[in-house]
Amino acid sequence: MKKRIIIRFKRKTIDKPIVYRLARDYDLIFNILRANVFPRADSMMVLEIEGETENFNKGIDYLKGLNLDIEPIEQDINRDESKCVHCGVCTSVCAPEAIYINRENMKVEIDYEKCVACELCVKVCPVKAMSVSFE
Ligand code: SF4
Ligand code: SF4
């Protein structure tokens, strides 16, 4: 399985070699999509993790055991459906094509498993429908 997650660190856990342990102990492949790391404040990282389901679940349990906050990426990317007019502007800046137009109904949809947390969709949306709360 392959999933994108957001990990939030407290100051005291910033020095733990967590991605190394995910690879070595749980045989997981990881890709760091984004990292905001601050030595004197809480930090965050967006990771794509791939591996056998059992290993993936064990790896997540390991992270939770360190008292890290783990969330699926879709939890922090929001679209206000009452504001979105499905204009498609955000699709033009989304390089991994996580936002796309569904040609059957011409609605703009989001595939969270492709999102790399760049926040460009937030910046270009003319009606401020997109919001990201990675920090
Ligand atoms: S740019 Fe904004 S209004 Fe247009 S489709 Fe994207 S989220 Fe909706
Ligand atoms: S944050 Fe970036 S990658 Fe994710 S949906 Fe928005 S534009 Fe696409």
Side-chain angles (χ1 to χ4, degrees), residues 79 83-91 99 108 121 124-130:
R79 183 172 64 183
K83 287 185 180 174
C84 178
V85 292
H86 295 271
C87 64
V89 169
C90 53
T91 65
I99 306 183
V108 172
C121 53
V124 301
C125 178
V127 295
K128 308 276 183 246
M130 293 298 298

Side-chain angles (χ1 to χ4, degrees), residues 28 43 59 76 94 98-99 112-114 124:
L28 294 169
S43 303
D76 281 18
C94 184
I99 306 183
Y112 294 100
E113 289 306 314
K114 289 185 177 175
V124 301

